Amino acid sequence: MNATDNTAEYLRLYEQMARIRAFEDNANQLYLSAKMPGLTHMYTGQEAVAVGICEALEQSDQITSTHRGHGHCVAKGADFKEMFCELLGKAEGYCRGKGGSMHIADQANGNLGANAIVGGSAGIATGAALSAKRLGSDAVTVCFFGDGALGQGLLYEVMNMAALWKLPVIYACENNHYGEYTRTDEMAAGDLCARAAAFGIETHQVDGQDVLAVNRLARDLVGRARKGEGPFFVLLDTYRWHGHHVGDINRAYYRPKDEEALWKETRDPILNFGKWLEGEGIVGADDLVAIGERVRREAEAAVAYAEAAAYPPAHEVDMHVYATPGTADGRREELHHA
Ligand SMILES: Cc1ncc(C[n+]2csc(CCOP(=O)(O)OP(=O)(O)O)c2C)c(N)n1
């Protein structure tokens, strides 16, 4: 098959990665201009992981995310305006402004939520997969987590269950080589995939900067998980461009500047995919510039919207914390007054 046969899919992969980058650039600006309360963790540099995987999923499939969660959220279909409102604590945000960057959930699109607890979403993802299996749906759940979560016991408890019960879950470990300020090889012993393989889980490794390679693998594994061949474990080699969080500016004491430069200059997933698209004659340079401009305008318009949006009223301070049992979407249904 000719590469141009898949033009629409390729352009979608490119645009979704560009949207994440534009979102993060604007989130960083909001922090730097002191408009955003608290800190946030940039996903910049890792876009091919979230997009390659989420583009292999249906809207009804589910994901769980991490403290570095904006990329997963955008890739699974979230709306920029609701995301920026959440970052700025506004009432129209995904959690009515009460969760912030690290707690965005978007159940309508199958995003069960970011999670500030490292490894915390592993139990939720496995539970979602168990639920899908018992309900007889063919939904697949992807559990995104960082290499730091490999130090959390919960992950091993749930991988054991998932393997025993053949659950439709994919554990996607984004190895960006650092957990906060420590190199992964200084905190995780041995072969990382061997940890999952010990439970009899089929494991895969893929270049997390290559969106096509990630997407190809994800399509295969999602299809197989749907047929009951799960669970799977995928190790994705990637790199975060920014600090651990937006306030982590001077990183030279734990991460060499030339290492950062090398990843940015030679392994930018968006730039490299763009070059490939051009080289294959699928798009021209102008087309890529136009996509970049479009997503930048979309992000800026959403920021302006969020800046002008209202904060929740003071009398709602103890509301919207717990969902009413039995409702599918706690945010949109009538909620308990806590
Ligand atoms: C249970 C727990 N321990 C420690 C922390 C503090 N903490 C926040 S992020 C982080 C590093 C996580 O590294 P990794 O999982 O590799 O994700 P990355 O930040 O690299 O995306 C740590 C230790 C936490 N949030 N939760």
Side-chain angles (χ1 to χ4, degrees):
M1 189 168 56
N2 194 312
T4 49
D5 292 347
N6 295 325
T7 298
E9 277 170 34
Y10 293 149
L11 288 179
R12 166 105 184 144
L13 291 171
Y14 185 88
E15 179 155 343
Q16 284 294 77
M17 290 199 291
R19 290 181 76 236
I20 294 173
R21 181 118 355 141
F23 184 93
E24 293 297 51
D25 287 347
N26 279 273
N28 197 25
Q29 263 323 111
L30 284 171
Y31 169 76
L32 293 174
S33 53
K35 290 179 177 164
M36 182 177 65
L39 292 167
T40 184
H41 307 77
M42 300 278 97
Y43 194 73
T44 313
Q46 302 185 203
E47 296 90 348
V49 173
V51 172
I53 291 180
C54 288
E55 283 298 307
L57 297 173
E58 300 294 330
Q59 189 181 28
S60 50
D61 291 322
Q62 295 177 308
I63 64 165
T64 61
S65 171
T66 70
H67 55 285
R68 198 176 303 288
H70 302 162
H72 311 133
C73 210
V74 171
K76 197 66 176 69
D79 177 80
F80 273 9
K81 283 184 187 163
E82 282 180 80
M83 286 182 71
F84 278 121
C85 280
E86 190 56 43
L87 261 53
L88 296 183
K90 302 299 178 75
E92 287 179 65
Y94 273 107
C95 307
R96 299 187 193 229
K98 292 169 183 171
S101 161
M102 280 187 280
H103 299 97
I104 297 179
D106 173 19
Q107 303 223 12
N109 283 307
N111 181 353
L112 300 180
N115 200 313
I117 306 300
V118 171
S121 73
I124 297 167
T126 309
L130 174 61
S131 158
K133 183 164 182 166
R134 296 201 55 154
L135 291 171
S137 93
D138 69 352
V140 172
T141 305
V142 174
C143 176
F144 288 104
F145 57 96
D147 42 276
L150 291 167
Q152 288 293 87
L154 172 67
L155 182 67
Y156 302 97
E157 296 179 43
V158 297
M159 284 200 297
N160 182 58
M161 292 179 194
L164 283 172
W165 299 336
K166 299 198 183 327
L167 300 183
V169 55
I170 298 173
Y171 299 100
C173 179
E174 298 185 63
N175 182 8
N176 61 16
H177 300 276
Y178 293 86
E180 288 192 333
Y181 319 109
T182 307
R183 280 192 64 87
T184 308
D185 56 13
E186 290 176 359
M187 64 185 176
D191 174 352
L192 304 183
C193 283
R195 294 166 177 231
F199 297 107
I201 294 178
E202 184 180 310
T203 68
H204 295 266
Q205 290 194 49
V206 65
D207 178 358
Q209 305 308 90
D210 180 344
V211 72
L212 281 184
V214 175
N215 187 249
R216 215 174 288 127
L217 177 65
R219 282 178 189 279
D220 178 46
L221 297 184
V222 168
R224 290 178 55 200
R226 255 192 239 299
K227 288 191 281 176
E229 294 177 27
F232 300 105
F233 178 95
V234 182
L235 187 63
L236 301 112
D237 193 45
T238 187
Y239 201 78
R240 61 165 156 82
W241 280 20
H242 290 267
H244 169 60
H245 55 61
V246 282
D248 174 21
I249 304 293
N250 175 20
R251 302 180 285 277
Y253 71 96
Y254 75 89
R255 202 171 82 161
K257 289 287 172 199
D258 53 355
E259 178 187 290
E260 291 190 358
L262 193 71
W263 278 84
K264 283 189 188 179
E265 285 159 19
T266 67
R267 306 205 57 202
D268 179 340
I270 302 178
L271 197 67
N272 288 352
F273 188 49
K275 279 187 195 157
W276 183 83
L277 289 171
E278 275 190 63
E280 293 290 321
I282 296 169
V283 293
D286 290 353
D287 300 318
L288 298 182
V289 171
I291 292 175
E293 280 297 307
R294 187 166 68 240
V295 300
R296 192 179 55 75
R297 279 197 302 274
E298 181 195 358
E300 285 172 2
V303 168
Y305 182 91
E307 284 186 296
Y311 287 106
H315 73 266
E316 286 190 0
V317 68
D318 61 349
M319 289 170 68
H320 314 128
V321 177
Y322 299 104
T324 305
T327 57
D329 183 344
R331 184 176 166 277
R332 288 169 208 277
E333 302 288 336
E334 192 56 37
L335 301 173
H336 265 320
H337 196 125

